[in-house]
Amino acid sequence: MAALPIKPEYGPTLGRLLSPRWRAASALARAGVIAACAGVIAAIVGAVLTLENATYSHRGRVPFSFRYRSLYRVRPDPGGYVKVQRHRADGTLEDSFAVGPLTLPPYSGSLSGELPLYAAGYIRKLARRDAGFVLRGEGKTRVNTVPGYHVLYTAQIEGRTMWGRDVLLLPERPGVREGVDIVMLTSPTANAQITSPLEVATAGVLLRPLKTFSFG
């Protein structure tokens, strides 16, 4: 198909203006321009995909998966499996959802009786690790149909107060000792529907990953 003619008053096209410079540029310069354009396209595609539903699946001794949206994958903590976060434009942390391994010591009796005992040491560890740690509550919870135990707290994370809700979760089978530690953090200003650590992941961007979390 022939190109449509350009009226003289509109002047030369951008392609015609840049064509002499492109032909005169070295091969190295052309390669640099192409690489830069590819980087911009990749960034745009990444931003679009972030706004869509994404899925994370983990295999191994404790396989699990979850879906998330409007959260970005970041490097997990040492020993952790995965971490997704949301930041403000200035880089301030707003929400975080991380999953790491959990291994209970040998125990007798039921899992529901062991988890509160394990949580006592877990809470002491949080108090030593996180500045300004204040325990706000603990107790039984459920992730979908799987029973677990959660710890609710406030702490100084990256220099600001965050609400924390950590869920200790293991697959439902007799004598199970291996599961996951789900660590969720939300800024008090992240969502008007969330007014305490107990409500973390009951609304906002952390609701989807917790609601869709499943073993297997």
Side-chain angles (χ1 to χ4, degrees):
M1 180 182 295
L4 295 176
I6 303 296
K7 293 183 178 181
E9 58 266 28
Y10 293 142
T13 63
L14 180 61
R16 289 183 178 179
L17 290 174
L18 296 179
S19 179
R21 294 187 179 183
W22 178 257
R23 288 195 296 267
S26 65
L28 182 61
R30 292 185 184 184
V33 171
I34 293 173
C37 291
V40 171
I41 293 173
I44 294 174
V45 171
V48 171
L49 291 177
T50 300
L51 297 177
E52 299 296 328
N53 291 332
T55 300
Y56 175 83
S57 296
H58 175 79
R59 300 304 171 201
R61 295 178 62 87
V62 185
F64 65 86
S65 65
F66 63 87
R67 297 196 301 273
Y68 61 96
R69 186 175 185 177
S70 300
L71 293 162
Y72 294 85
R73 287 275 301 275
V74 299
R75 180 178 298 178
D77 296 330
Y81 294 138
V82 62
K83 179 185 285 188
V84 292
Q85 293 185 333
R86 181 170 71 103
H87 292 79
R88 291 181 179 177
D90 63 1
T92 303
L93 178 64
E94 284 281 78
D95 301 279
S96 180
F97 185 95
V99 184
L102 169 65
T103 303
L104 299 180
Y107 63 93
S108 59
S110 66
L111 178 62
S112 61
E114 172 61 21
L115 281 177
L117 299 177
Y118 179 86
Y122 181 90
I123 292 168
R124 289 193 294 269
K125 180 180 177 181
L126 290 180
R128 292 192 299 267
R129 186 193 67 188
D130 297 335
F133 175 86
V134 178
L135 180 66
R136 299 298 185 184
E138 59 177 302
K140 295 180 180 180
T141 188
R142 282 185 177 273
V143 175
N144 298 315
T145 61
V146 181
Y149 197 88
H150 64 182
V151 176
L152 314 170
Y153 58 93
T154 58
Q156 294 292 314
I157 308 295
E158 297 184 6
R160 65 182 311 210
T161 299
M162 300 291 287
W163 288 333
R165 181 186 175 199
D166 295 3
V167 178
L168 310 177
L169 197 68
L170 296 93
E172 291 186 278
R173 58 175 179 265
V176 63
R177 292 178 53 204
E178 292 183 288
V180 296
D181 174 18
I182 303 175
V183 178
M184 296 172 288
L185 299 170
T186 291
S187 163
T189 61
N191 191 302
Q193 294 178 274
I194 302 173
T195 60
S196 73
L198 179 61
E199 296 174 337
V200 169
T202 61
V205 298
L206 299 186
L207 172 61
R208 183 182 299 270
L210 186 63
K211 186 177 181 180
T212 60
F213 186 95
S214 63
F215 288 115

